[in-house]
Amino acid sequence: MKYRGFYVKISQESVVRHDKDSNEVKCAGFVIEIFESEQSAIPLDRISAAVDFELLEPSVAEVEQFVKDYIDSERKHFHE
């Protein structure tokens, strides 16, 4: 996916979160890598998003909107 000049790689994977009692919980989710371009080998950032934490459902549309919101909020940081 491309967004605002960045290349984004999204992989569906289990991710770990902590519940209210600090127990580790494996969740359905996505690992997201944000690159300066398609040719870049090293990501500018690597984040994850889990269903029932950052995402309401395990859909591509949901994770893509999450990525867009994240890039919009962190764009200044990426250009430093």
Side-chain angles (χ1 to χ4, degrees):
M1 162 184 162
K2 286 186 177 181
Y3 183 70
R4 296 207 185 264
F6 297 102
Y7 174 70
V8 180
K9 180 181 173 187
I10 300 171
S11 304
Q12 191 166 9
E13 296 181 25
S14 292
V15 295
V16 175
R17 292 293 184 264
H18 292 88
D19 65 15
K20 63 183 178 186
D21 298 320
S22 297
N23 299 312
E24 283 191 1
V25 179
K26 277 194 173 182
C27 306
F30 300 85
V31 172
I32 302 149
E33 294 178 298
I34 302 168
F35 297 88
E36 194 170 4
S37 70
E38 286 186 65
Q39 294 75 33
S40 299
I42 300 172
L44 296 170
D45 206 351
R46 187 175 195 271
I47 59 172
S48 61
V51 176
D52 294 330
F53 287 82
E54 296 85 8
L55 305 173
L56 296 175
E57 60 185 47
S59 72
V60 172
E62 179 91 8
V63 74
E64 285 181 349
Q65 186 59 54
F66 175 81
V67 169
K68 289 175 182 179
D69 294 342
Y70 182 79
I71 288 173
D72 288 343
S73 70
E74 296 294 320
R75 190 171 42 179
K76 181 181 174 189
H77 167 74
F78 292 139
H79 291 292
E80 290 179 344

